[in-house]
Amino acid sequence: MSKKVDYKIIILILLIILTRVFLFKNFFHEWDSINFALAIKKFNIYADQPHPPGYSILVLMSKLIYIFIKDELRSLQILSVIFSILGVIIFYYFLKYLTKNEKYSFFGTIIFSFSSIFYFYGTVEDIYVSEVFLTLLIGFLSFLTLFDKKKSYLLSIFYGLGGGIRFNSLIFFFPLILYIFIKIKLKFKEILINLLLILIFILIWYIPTIYSGGGIKIHSFHSKTLFTWVLGTSIFFDNYYWIKNTFLTFILFLKETLISIIILIYMFIKRKDNLNFLLIWIVPSLLFYFLIHAPKVGYYLTVIPPLYLFLFYKLFYFKIKSKKIFLIILISILIVNFTLRFFELRNKLDIQINNINEIILKIKKAIQNDKQTVIFLSDESVDLFRFAYYFPNNKIYFISPLSNYICEWNIENGYIVQYKREPMEIYEGNVIKIDEYVNKIIFICDHPRDFEEILMLEGIKIEESQGSLKGGGVTIISYEIPKDFDYIFVKGYIITKK
């Protein structure tokens, strides 16, 4: 006789769908998301589609959704909803396992589903909500393994696969895996089997990743340069970046979780059971994001779910006469946090999208003719990269270093990046040959001085100059190519016709 379907799971699924889908935007708001959109067309780490070290499983899932949706943006948004659903289901079963109370676990899961950061990232095309699913899955399997050694094999499988969702999970969850294996006292044969499973399921996603990145040497170099840059943004090397980005992100994280953390600390002082498990689960990622690199608050979705889970778990067993009153107060605080933080994030999203859309419209106005226009992006900020996605009919070059580390890539004479709805190509040399039929070149930058070599030429027109990119505008310089055009010299490159 088959078991009855748990109606609570159906309610949770419908809740996530109805509270996320209607908040979808019709515009990409992050350059990371655009890289994933390009990866749906062609997975290529070397071309930053997506950026290294690669997210093979996420891209594969996006491709499967795209088969039916035929829209990159919607495919990524639906992927966020799917991971949101999976996240709350695991949260529910994990909390029910801890409390042995279905109604309480269901109620706690609903509260968690509206936690502002988790809710926000379930409505956009970013991939950070996958952290919720992966964190809770690894945590739940780890906890189950403490009481059933056979679960260690399942834990090893998903730990290995997890790197194909978010590579940093292999680093952040390694202490937890090690702690569990030591705690359950695995035999030598069991250790070998688990290590073999981890290796096999890492190779399942790692082999196609390095293959698409041009081989292990190129992929390793490309990944190393990214990690070098990330470490360079830490509090130990770049105080300006850390204060301007990482620390402010930490403050956003605290705005939602501080009260929960304080309550948890108080309850753990009273009763310390499972404290080590929670700390080993969340501290590695928390320390990394606080000290090293966390430009967006979505990174903390490796920490937020465990905090909520243990908050409700400890509260359930906490001995207090006025537990109902205490629970009402807690829920009120969470609701206030949600209403303040969620709408704050959505407001920032609206501003960001409006700024980008305004720039896109300005560039389209300057282009006029798609196929007869070449676009050059020039800026030290990678944000300009996102513009290429919106002009699929133009040949687009990025002629300024994306960041200093790229200069290490065998480019003694300079480099150029061609960026379209296909992999970027990196050219050595300093000669750019454009097609004969091209009659206009558009230069886009944050500051006009980036192109001071051509500002005095005839046929130059500055279409717009609206301040910095983050302020909602860029400088758009258009150059009408004369009939007697020979070449122009820009930023160390000779631009001529074929």
Side-chain angles (χ1 to χ4, degrees):
M1 185 175 179
S2 60
K3 293 183 179 180
K4 292 182 179 180
V5 177
D6 190 343
Y7 74 92
K8 298 183 183 65
I9 296 299
I10 296 175
I11 293 175
L12 288 173
I13 292 173
L14 292 175
L15 178 69
I16 293 298
I17 293 174
L18 294 175
T19 55
R20 268 69 171 175
V21 170
F22 294 106
L23 294 177
F24 285 172
K25 296 287 186 180
N26 294 318
F27 207 88
F28 284 99
H29 78 286
E30 288 285 351
W31 72 276
D32 273 338
S33 302
I34 289 179
N35 284 342
F36 274 94
L38 292 167
I40 292 174
K41 292 291 187 181
K42 186 169 184 178
F43 182 67
N44 190 325
I45 304 302
Y46 182 67
D48 278 341
Q49 298 178 203
H51 66 69
Y55 306 83
S56 312
I57 295 176
L58 287 180
V59 173
L60 177 61
M61 292 179 68
S62 303
K63 284 177 176 285
L64 293 175
I65 298 171
Y66 181 79
I67 292 173
F68 302 98
I69 303 301
K70 302 299 181 183
D71 182 281
E72 296 98 328
L73 176 60
R74 287 287 181 258
S75 297
L76 291 170
Q77 289 169 332
I78 290 172
L79 185 64
S80 292
V81 173
I82 290 173
F83 275 119
S84 297
I85 291 171
L86 294 174
V88 298
I89 290 175
I90 297 173
F91 189 95
Y92 168 69
Y93 280 116
F94 198 167
L95 188 56
K96 187 170 74 169
Y97 183 85
L98 292 170
T99 63
K100 307 297 186 297
N101 188 303
E102 286 192 7
K103 290 183 179 179
Y104 179 84
S105 301
F106 178 66
F107 182 73
T109 303
I110 290 177
I111 295 296
F112 167 69
S113 71
F114 287 103
S115 59
S116 60
I117 297 173
F118 174 49
Y119 187 7
F120 172 77
Y121 280 97
T123 66
V124 295
E125 71 281 3
D126 277 326
I127 50 86
Y128 301 113
V129 77
S130 64
E131 302 261 31
V132 176
F133 161 74
L134 188 58
T135 298
L136 289 170
L137 179 63
I138 297 298
F140 194 18
L141 289 175
S142 297
F143 201 84
L144 292 175
T145 303
L146 286 174
F147 306 97
D148 183 0
K149 291 173 65 173
K150 293 181 180 179
K151 293 290 193 302
S152 65
Y153 301 136
L154 198 59
L155 173 60
S156 294
I157 290 172
F158 282 102
Y159 174 67
L161 286 174
I165 297 177
R166 291 285 286 174
F167 180 83
N168 53 21
S169 66
L170 295 178
I171 301 171
F172 295 155
F173 298 136
F174 176 75
L176 181 62
I177 300 297
L178 187 61
Y179 169 77
I180 296 298
F181 285 177
I182 293 174
K183 195 80 172 174
I184 62 177
K185 298 178 181 179
L186 290 176
K187 296 179 181 178
F188 181 73
K189 182 180 178 181
E190 293 171 327
I191 293 174
L192 288 180
I193 294 174
N194 276 285
L195 291 177
L196 183 61
L197 286 172
I198 291 172
L199 178 61
I200 290 172
F201 284 91
I202 286 178
L203 292 178
I204 284 175
W205 58 263
Y206 184 67
I207 290 175
T209 299
I210 60 174
Y211 176 78
S212 73
I216 190 167
K217 288 185 177 179
I218 293 178
H219 179 267
S220 297
F221 176 84
H222 204 31
S223 299
K224 179 184 176 182
T225 54
L226 179 64
F227 291 142
T228 301
W229 175 76
V230 167
L231 292 174
T233 65
S234 71
I235 190 174
F236 307 107
F237 297 102
D238 191 343
N239 288 329
Y240 177 76
Y241 182 96
W242 185 84
I243 293 172
K244 184 181 178 182
N245 296 282
T246 304
F247 180 70
L248 292 181
T249 300
F250 178 71
I251 296 301
L252 287 176
F253 160 72
L254 282 183
K255 283 182 178 180
E256 175 174 325
T257 60
L258 183 59
I259 295 174
S260 300
I261 291 172
I262 292 172
I263 295 172
L264 263 176
I265 291 173
Y266 176 74
M267 288 191 290
F268 270 119
I269 290 174
K270 296 291 185 179
R271 186 177 176 183
K272 295 181 174 61
D273 58 308
N274 295 317
L275 175 60
N276 290 337
F277 182 89
L278 175 62
L279 292 178
I280 295 172
W281 190 11
I282 67 173
V283 166
S285 58
L286 181 61
L287 286 178
F288 182 88
Y289 292 142
F290 176 67
L291 297 175
I292 308 298
H293 184 76
K296 289 173 276 190
V297 73
Y299 281 49
Y300 283 97
L301 286 173
T302 57
V303 181
I304 293 171
L307 288 177
Y308 274 100
L309 181 76
F310 269 77
L311 176 67
F312 288 113
Y313 159 55
K314 298 295 289 186
L315 180 63
F316 182 79
Y317 289 106
F318 194 67
K319 294 181 179 180
I320 183 172
K321 293 181 179 179
S322 56
K323 182 180 288 188
K324 289 184 178 180
I325 296 176
F326 186 71
L327 187 60
I328 292 173
I329 294 173
L330 174 61
I331 294 170
S332 300
I333 292 171
L334 294 176
I335 291 174
V336 170
N337 281 344
F338 158 72
T339 55
L340 292 177
R341 300 287 81 77
F342 177 75
F343 291 108
E344 177 184 351
L345 291 169
R346 290 290 296 187
N347 184 54
K348 289 182 179 178
L349 175 69
D350 290 336
I351 294 173
Q352 190 174 0
I353 288 178
N354 290 337
N355 287 343
I356 299 170
N357 191 38
E358 182 182 349
I359 295 170
I360 298 302
L361 292 175
K362 292 173 184 176
I363 297 173
K364 285 183 176 180
K365 180 181 178 182
I367 289 175
Q368 294 179 349
N369 190 311
D370 284 341
K371 294 183 179 180
Q372 295 183 1
T373 305
V374 173
I375 299 177
F376 289 82
L377 307 177
S378 175
D379 189 80
E380 292 182 357
S381 169
V382 73
D383 287 338
L384 278 175
F385 245 166
R386 70 179 62 164
F387 292 140
Y389 180 85
Y390 296 101
F391 305 100
N393 296 322
N394 293 102
K395 185 168 287 187
I396 299 175
Y397 295 91
F398 193 94
I399 64 173
S400 173
L402 189 61
S403 61
N404 292 334
Y405 68 74
I406 289 184
C407 294
E408 301 173 14
W409 180 251
N410 190 23
I411 47 170
E412 296 178 359
N413 297 318
Y415 80 97
I416 308 163
V417 178
Q418 179 182 346
Y419 192 58
K420 297 174 63 179
R421 288 182 185 266
E422 59 190 39
M424 294 176 288
E425 298 175 14
I426 297 181
Y427 297 88
E428 297 179 18
N430 59 351
V431 178
I432 304 171
K433 293 184 179 181
I434 60 178
D435 294 321
E436 281 288 339
Y437 59 81
V438 172
N439 57 21
K440 181 185 283 188
I441 300 175
I442 303 293
F443 300 96
I444 306 168
C445 59
D446 249 344
H447 307 287
R449 66 174 179 272
D450 286 352
F451 292 99
E452 58 187 8
E453 304 100 321
I454 65 169
L455 289 178
M456 301 304 293
L457 295 176
E458 293 184 8
I460 290 294
K461 182 180 179 182
I462 299 179
E463 301 285 347
E464 296 285 350
S465 183
Q466 298 291 331
S468 68
L469 176 66
K470 293 181 179 179
V474 294
T475 298
I476 303 171
I477 304 170
S478 61
Y479 174 58
E480 298 282 351
I481 299 177
K483 293 181 180 181
D484 59 347
F485 174 77
D486 188 9
Y487 71 89
I488 56 175
F489 187 75
V490 181
K491 297 183 73 63
Y493 299 99
I494 295 174
I495 301 176
T496 186
K497 287 195 172 184
K498 295 179 181 179

